[in-house]
C-alpha cells in the first residue's frame, strides 16, 4: 500500500492542498476511494454546462456523490 512517504519520494513537484488532504485521508483511513475532476477551460464555463455534464456522468455512475462548488 502506498503511503505519503512513498509519494514524497517519487513526487516531481510539491503536492497541492487537495492532494495533501487525499494523502492524509488515505494514511489515516478516512476515505477508501477519492476521485477528483478538475476542469480547465480557456473561457469561463457556464454553471449550467457543468451541471449538464455532471448529470450525464451521474447517469453512468449512479453511486457517485457529486458536489459542485
Amino acid at each position: 500500500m502506498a503511503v505519503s512517504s512513498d509519494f514524497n519520494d517519487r513526487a516531481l513537484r510539491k503536492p497541492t492542498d487537495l492532494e495533501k488532504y487525499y494523502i492524509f485521508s488515505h494514511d489515516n483511513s478516512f476515505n477508501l476511494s477519492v476521485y477528483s475532476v478538475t476542469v480547465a477551460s480557456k473561457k469561463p464555463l457556464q454553471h449550467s454546462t457543468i451541471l449538464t455534464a455532471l448529470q450525464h456522468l451521474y447517469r453512468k455512475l449512479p453511486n457517485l456523490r457529486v458536489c459542485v462548488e
Side-chain angles (χ1 to χ4, degrees):
M1 176 179 358
V3 294
S4 58
S5 59
D6 295 338
F7 178 83
N8 291 333
D9 291 342
R10 58 188 165 83
L12 299 176
R13 58 176 170 69
K14 289 184 178 181
T16 64
D17 290 338
L18 185 60
E19 290 168 333
K20 288 178 188 176
Y21 168 74
Y22 293 157
I23 292 167
F24 176 82
S25 296
H26 174 77
D27 290 347
N28 294 288
S29 301
F30 292 147
N31 296 317
L32 297 178
S33 297
V34 176
Y35 299 96
S36 175
V37 175
T38 303
V39 178
S41 174
K42 290 183 179 180
K43 296 181 181 178
L45 296 173
Q46 297 285 331
H47 194 260
S48 60
T49 304
I50 295 171
L51 287 178
T52 302
L54 288 174
Q55 287 171 348
H56 291 297
L57 179 63
Y58 187 77
R59 287 186 191 125
K60 294 288 185 180
L61 302 167
N63 294 333
L64 181 67
R65 293 184 184 189
V66 178
C67 175
V68 179
E69 294 182 10

